[in-house]
Amino acid sequence: MHDSSFIVRIGHFKCGTTFFNQAFFPQHPQINFLGKPFPQGDAMWTVLEQIAGLRDFDAAFCRGEVAARLETGTPERRLAALSDGRFAEPRHPDFDHLPERLKQVTGPNTLILFTVRHPVDLVASLYTQSVGTGKTRDSFQKWLDDNWADNQDILGMISYGRVAETFARTFGAERLLINSLETLRAEPAAFARDLAHRCGLDEARTVALFDQKPRNRRMSRLQTRLSASPALYGLARRLWHALPDGLRPLAGRLSGHGQAFVPEIPASVRHRILDSSRPEIERLCAVANLPAARLGFDLDAPPAG
């Protein structure tokens, strides 16, 4: 299938967003990446908010802004790309009509790249980020209860099946390319070749970009303890580098520097997340005629760290 003119990635953040938005789309010589992130005041931000249903939708305005951005590309960059996690969140207003608005802007020859992640690992990563940025000091259990259907809305983030069905109704299931963060980590070259074939991209260049995919550094235990004060964390890092090599292992054990923060998730909470997400993953696989094993994770086994 080489008839795609647009790739729109709709996976949530914490599902490879940094890689796609910084290391892949902007770096591929055949892709014209239209953001994000955007410069301050860029009209493309308004376009995405209109598509997401956060503002009144003006199809002519959105198409005009996209066309203007495409004119700044080069002939080699024949495939345009967008990436927005809000397109995969049913909690946003008028979500059922979002794919149709998107289609009016990007056209029917759009490939929807939907990235998912083991639900427990996704939720744990969201919690770790909230702790590390000082947004919560609550236990995992309390944080999950507060955000299950409010604020971050965990239930909305694991509604994989509903998202897939909604986009398939508009674009067709054949235009959904569903992958998981786990498969990207385990088989980056295989996914890159599939993407290159679907979009007519140069295979060698596409594979090369995926092969050098960096993994985000895990939040350290020390960082979560000092998250309320970036200055203190910066001071701790400077002190670490000033220590003699022989003292660093002991200092690391005592402080937690260099040791990844891993939240404690009670078994009952893990089952709660899995029981809620299992039907959604089954719906996702049914829409794409995709064997569950191809997602790269087993819902009956602990998620990857």
Side-chain angles (χ1 to χ4, degrees), residues 194-216:
D194 187 20
L195 182 63
H197 173 72
R198 293 284 298 265
C199 301
L201 296 172
D202 178 80
E203 182 176 306
R205 181 57 174 156
T206 305
V207 170
L209 288 172
F210 272 84
D211 279 344
Q212 62 190 31
K213 177 185 183 303
R215 289 191 65 165
N216 289 344

Side-chain angles (χ1 to χ4, degrees), residues 104-286:
Q104 290 185 51
V105 176
T106 62
N109 296 332
T110 297
L111 179 69
I112 305 299
L113 178 57
F114 185 20
T115 311
V116 300
R117 186 177 184 177
H118 189 294
V120 176
D121 203 21
L122 171 62
V123 176
S125 184
L126 292 169
Y127 172 71
T128 298
Q129 184 178 56
S130 292
V131 172
T133 55
K135 292 182 179 179
T136 186
R137 294 292 179 189
D138 294 331
S139 67
F140 184 89
Q141 172 96 48
K142 185 177 187 309
W143 172 86
L144 183 68
D145 289 341
D146 290 345
N147 290 285
W148 187 249
D150 190 24
N151 194 10
Q152 293 199 59
D153 190 6
I154 305 303
L155 275 175
M157 289 190 173
I158 58 178
S159 297
Y160 298 153
R162 182 186 170 192
V163 172
E165 289 176 346
T166 305
F167 275 85
R169 281 196 298 269
T170 298
F171 289 96
E174 71 281 358
R175 291 205 167 270
L176 269 64
L177 180 55
I178 297 169
N179 69 290
S180 69
L181 184 66
E182 287 76 10
T183 59
L184 286 181
R185 287 174 172 171
E187 303 174 356
F191 177 79
R193 284 192 292 269
D194 187 20
L195 182 63
H197 173 72
R198 293 284 298 265
C199 301
L201 296 172
D202 178 80
E203 182 176 306
R205 181 57 174 156
T206 305
V207 170
L209 288 172
F210 272 84
D211 279 344
Q212 62 190 31
K213 177 185 183 303
R215 289 191 65 165
N216 289 344
R217 295 182 61 184
R218 298 294 297 272
M219 193 84 67
S220 72
R221 288 167 53 194
L222 176 62
Q223 190 171 354
T224 61
R225 292 168 183 166
L226 301 179
S227 57
S229 175
L232 281 178
Y233 183 67
L235 175 61
R237 285 177 59 87
R238 288 194 292 273
L239 289 174
W240 170 268
H241 290 295
L243 288 174
D245 291 344
L247 288 179
R248 286 182 182 176
L250 175 61
R253 286 195 298 272
L254 294 176
S255 68
H257 184 68
Q259 302 174 37
F261 171 73
V262 180
E264 296 183 7
I265 306 177
S268 60
V269 177
R270 183 183 300 276
H271 287 305
R272 174 185 176 188
I273 298 170
L274 291 177
D275 289 345
S276 298
S277 57
R278 192 182 305 272
E280 287 293 323
I281 290 175
E282 291 173 350
R283 290 170 66 187
L284 173 79
C285 293

Side-chain angles (χ1 to χ4, degrees), residues 19-166:
F19 166 69
F20 280 104
N21 288 15
Q22 297 182 17
F24 180 68
F25 286 143
Q27 306 303 324
H28 201 294
Q30 294 174 289
I31 294 177
N32 186 357
F33 185 48
L34 307 188
K36 55 186 191 178
F38 301 106
Q40 186 173 5
D42 194 317
M44 280 300 300
W45 183 252
T46 302
V47 170
L48 295 187
E49 291 200 331
Q50 289 190 20
I51 294 172
L54 302 177
R55 302 189 185 199
D56 292 338
F57 179 63
D58 183 336
F61 166 80
C62 292
R63 285 196 295 266
E65 291 299 329
V66 168
R69 287 290 296 273
L70 292 178
E71 288 178 358
T72 64
T74 62
E76 293 78 16
R77 296 185 181 273
R78 52 165 294 277
L79 185 67
L82 280 173
S83 177
D84 199 310
R86 294 173 299 178
F87 292 177
E89 294 186 15
R91 63 179 174 161
H92 284 293
D94 201 23
F95 174 77
D96 289 339
H97 297 98
L98 189 157
E100 181 56 40
R101 292 193 292 270
L102 180 64
K103 187 176 182 179
Q104 290 185 51
V105 176
T106 62
N109 296 332
T110 297
L111 179 69
I112 305 299
L113 178 57
F114 185 20
T115 311
V116 300
R117 186 177 184 177
H118 189 294
V120 176
D121 203 21
L122 171 62
V123 176
S125 184
L126 292 169
Y127 172 71
T128 298
Q129 184 178 56
S130 292
V131 172
T133 55
K135 292 182 179 179
T136 186
R137 294 292 179 189
D138 294 331
S139 67
F140 184 89
Q141 172 96 48
K142 185 177 187 309
W143 172 86
L144 183 68
D145 289 341
D146 290 345
N147 290 285
W148 187 249
D150 190 24
N151 194 10
Q152 293 199 59
D153 190 6
I154 305 303
L155 275 175
M157 289 190 173
I158 58 178
S159 297
Y160 298 153
R162 182 186 170 192
V163 172
E165 289 176 346
T166 305

